[in-house]
Amino acid sequence: MNRRSASALLVAAAAIAAHLALIDRGHHGDTGVFRDWWLATHASPARLYTSAADVNYPLLGTLVATLPGALGFAASEPLFHRAEKLLLLPWALLLALALQRAHRALGDASATWAWSLLLPAGWAGSLYFGQLDGACTALVLCTAWAGMRAL
Protein backbone atom coordinates (compact mmCIF):
# COMPACT_ATOMS: atom_id res chain seq x y z
CA MET A 1 0.00 0.00 0.00
CA ASN A 2 1.50 3.31 -1.01
CA ARG A 3 1.56 6.38 1.20
CA ARG A 4 -1.27 8.13 -0.70
CA SER A 5 -3.61 5.13 -0.29
CA ALA A 6 -2.77 4.88 3.41
CA SER A 7 -3.50 8.60 3.85
CA ALA A 8 -6.82 8.24 2.03
CA LEU A 9 -7.80 5.34 4.29
CA LEU A 10 -6.83 7.37 7.35
CA VAL A 11 -9.00 10.28 6.20
CA ALA A 12 -11.89 7.89 5.55
CA ALA A 13 -11.46 6.39 9.01
CA ALA A 14 -11.45 9.88 10.55
CA ALA A 15 -14.67 10.80 8.73
CA ILE A 16 -16.41 7.61 9.86
CA ALA A 17 -15.15 8.12 13.41
CA ALA A 18 -16.42 11.70 13.51
CA HIS A 19 -19.83 10.59 12.27
CA LEU A 20 -20.08 7.87 14.93
CA ALA A 21 -19.11 10.32 17.66
CA LEU A 22 -21.57 13.00 16.54
CA ILE A 23 -24.73 10.92 16.20
CA ASP A 24 -26.78 10.84 19.36
CA ARG A 25 -27.14 7.10 19.60
CA GLY A 26 -25.40 4.40 21.45
CA HIS A 27 -25.63 2.95 24.90
CA HIS A 28 -26.19 5.60 27.55
CA GLY A 29 -25.58 3.01 30.27
CA ASP A 30 -21.79 3.15 30.12
CA THR A 31 -21.62 6.92 29.96
CA GLY A 32 -24.21 7.04 32.73
CA VAL A 33 -21.88 4.98 34.93
CA PHE A 34 -18.98 7.27 34.02
CA ARG A 35 -21.09 10.30 34.99
CA ASP A 36 -21.99 8.65 38.31
CA TRP A 37 -18.27 8.07 38.95
CA TRP A 38 -17.60 11.76 38.29
CA LEU A 39 -20.40 12.93 40.58
CA ALA A 40 -19.24 10.63 43.38
CA THR A 41 -15.56 11.51 43.12
CA HIS A 42 -16.29 15.21 42.66
CA ALA A 43 -18.16 15.16 45.97
CA SER A 44 -15.33 13.22 47.64
CA PRO A 45 -12.22 11.94 45.81
CA ALA A 46 -11.88 9.22 48.43
CA ARG A 47 -15.03 7.64 46.97
CA LEU A 48 -13.39 6.86 43.60
CA TYR A 49 -13.40 3.08 43.97
CA THR A 50 -16.13 2.81 46.57
CA SER A 51 -18.91 4.76 44.85
CA ALA A 52 -20.18 1.84 42.75
CA ALA A 53 -19.63 -1.88 42.48
CA ASP A 54 -18.52 -1.66 38.85
CA VAL A 55 -15.64 0.80 39.25
CA ASN A 56 -12.89 -1.51 38.08
CA TYR A 57 -10.84 0.71 35.77
CA PRO A 58 -7.25 1.67 36.46
CA LEU A 59 -6.64 5.32 37.24
CA LEU A 60 -5.87 6.39 33.64
CA GLY A 61 -9.08 4.78 32.36
CA THR A 62 -11.08 6.43 35.11
CA LEU A 63 -9.57 9.82 34.26
CA VAL A 64 -10.48 9.38 30.57
CA ALA A 65 -13.99 8.22 31.49
CA THR A 66 -14.72 11.10 33.84
CA LEU A 67 -13.08 13.89 31.81
CA PRO A 68 -16.40 15.32 30.58
CA GLY A 69 -17.39 15.96 34.19
CA ALA A 70 -14.08 17.68 34.91
CA LEU A 71 -14.70 19.91 31.89
CA GLY A 72 -18.14 20.91 33.19
CA PHE A 73 -20.40 18.60 31.16
CA ALA A 74 -21.97 16.70 34.07
CA ALA A 75 -25.14 18.82 34.33
CA SER A 76 -27.25 16.23 32.52
CA GLU A 77 -26.77 12.68 31.33
CA PRO A 78 -27.38 13.50 27.62
CA LEU A 79 -24.81 16.32 27.75
CA PHE A 80 -22.26 14.07 29.46
CA HIS A 81 -22.97 11.30 26.92
CA ARG A 82 -22.34 13.60 23.95
CA ALA A 83 -19.19 15.09 25.50
CA GLU A 84 -17.84 11.61 26.34
CA LYS A 85 -18.27 10.46 22.75
CA LEU A 86 -16.60 13.58 21.33
CA LEU A 87 -13.69 13.30 23.77
CA LEU A 88 -13.14 9.70 22.62
CA LEU A 89 -12.67 10.88 19.03
CA PRO A 90 -8.95 11.80 19.43
CA TRP A 91 -8.34 8.34 20.92
CA ALA A 92 -9.95 6.71 17.86
CA LEU A 93 -7.73 8.76 15.57
CA LEU A 94 -4.70 7.81 17.66
CA LEU A 95 -5.74 4.17 17.29
CA ALA A 96 -5.88 4.51 13.49
CA LEU A 97 -2.48 6.22 13.45
CA ALA A 98 -1.00 3.57 15.76
CA LEU A 99 -2.33 0.83 13.46
CA GLN A 100 -0.76 2.53 10.47
CA ARG A 101 2.59 2.91 12.22
CA ALA A 102 2.58 -0.66 13.52
CA HIS A 103 1.80 -2.04 10.08
CA ARG A 104 4.47 0.12 8.47
CA ALA A 105 7.00 -1.17 11.02
CA LEU A 106 6.05 -4.74 10.08
CA GLY A 107 6.68 -4.10 6.39
CA ASP A 108 4.13 -4.18 3.59
CA ALA A 109 1.06 -5.12 5.56
CA SER A 110 -1.59 -3.54 3.37
CA ALA A 111 -3.99 -6.45 3.83
CA THR A 112 -3.70 -6.17 7.61
CA TRP A 113 -4.12 -2.38 7.48
CA ALA A 114 -7.26 -2.66 5.35
CA TRP A 115 -8.60 -5.43 7.59
CA SER A 116 -8.08 -3.20 10.63
CA LEU A 117 -10.21 -0.46 9.08
CA LEU A 118 -12.90 -2.81 7.84
CA LEU A 119 -13.27 -4.59 11.19
CA PRO A 120 -13.37 -1.63 13.59
CA ALA A 121 -14.46 -3.51 16.72
CA GLY A 122 -12.42 -1.27 18.98
CA TRP A 123 -12.69 2.24 17.62
CA ALA A 124 -16.16 2.24 16.05
CA GLY A 125 -17.82 0.54 19.00
CA SER A 126 -16.07 2.91 21.34
CA LEU A 127 -17.36 5.97 19.51
CA TYR A 128 -20.86 4.63 18.96
CA PHE A 129 -21.41 3.42 22.51
CA GLY A 130 -19.19 5.87 24.40
CA GLN A 131 -16.97 3.13 25.81
CA LEU A 132 -13.25 3.20 26.54
CA ASP A 133 -12.25 0.21 24.38
CA GLY A 134 -10.80 2.40 21.63
CA ALA A 135 -8.70 4.43 24.06
CA CYS A 136 -7.33 1.29 25.70
CA THR A 137 -6.59 -0.35 22.35
CA ALA A 138 -4.84 2.83 21.16
CA LEU A 139 -2.59 2.82 24.22
CA VAL A 140 -1.76 -0.87 23.73
CA LEU A 141 -0.91 -0.33 20.05
CA CYS A 142 1.21 2.74 20.79
CA THR A 143 3.12 0.68 23.33
CA ALA A 144 3.55 -2.16 20.80
CA TRP A 145 4.71 0.28 18.11
CA ALA A 146 7.21 1.86 20.49
CA GLY A 147 8.46 -1.63 21.36
CA MET A 148 8.91 -2.50 17.68
CA ARG A 149 10.86 0.72 17.13
CA ALA A 150 13.10 -0.07 20.10
CA LEU A 151 13.98 -3.46 18.67
Side-chain angles (χ1 to χ4, degrees), residues 33-127:
V33 168
F34 298 156
R35 181 173 175 264
D36 290 345
W37 291 355
W38 167 253
L39 294 174
T41 56
H42 182 64
S44 171
R47 296 188 60 216
L48 173 63
Y49 288 111
T50 60
S51 62
D54 54 1
V55 180
N56 57 4
Y57 284 67
L59 186 57
L60 181 60
T62 305
L63 291 174
V64 170
T66 59
L67 185 59
L71 296 174
F73 295 107
S76 70
E77 197 167 315
L79 181 62
F80 189 95
H81 178 76
R82 178 61 58 97
E84 180 79 37
K85 290 175 67 168
L86 288 174
L87 290 171
L88 289 173
L89 185 56
W91 290 100
L93 298 177
L94 177 64
L95 175 56
L97 183 63
L99 281 169
Q100 180 194 32
R101 298 292 183 186
H103 294 313
R104 187 176 292 160
L106 293 172
D108 183 20
S110 57
T112 310
W113 169 239
W115 176 82
S116 299
L117 285 177
L118 295 174
L119 187 65
W123 62 269
S126 174
L127 291 173

Side-chain angles (χ1 to χ4, degrees), residues 119-142:
L119 187 65
W123 62 269
S126 174
L127 291 173
Y128 184 77
F129 292 110
Q131 297 173 331
L132 298 182
D133 303 33
C136 297
T137 307
L139 290 173
V140 168
L141 277 173
C142 286

Side-chain angles (χ1 to χ4, degrees), residues 1-2 5 10 26 30 34 71 80 84 105 150:
M1 174 178 288
N2 63 33
S5 298
L10 194 58
D30 290 325
F34 298 156
L71 296 174
F80 189 95
E84 180 79 37

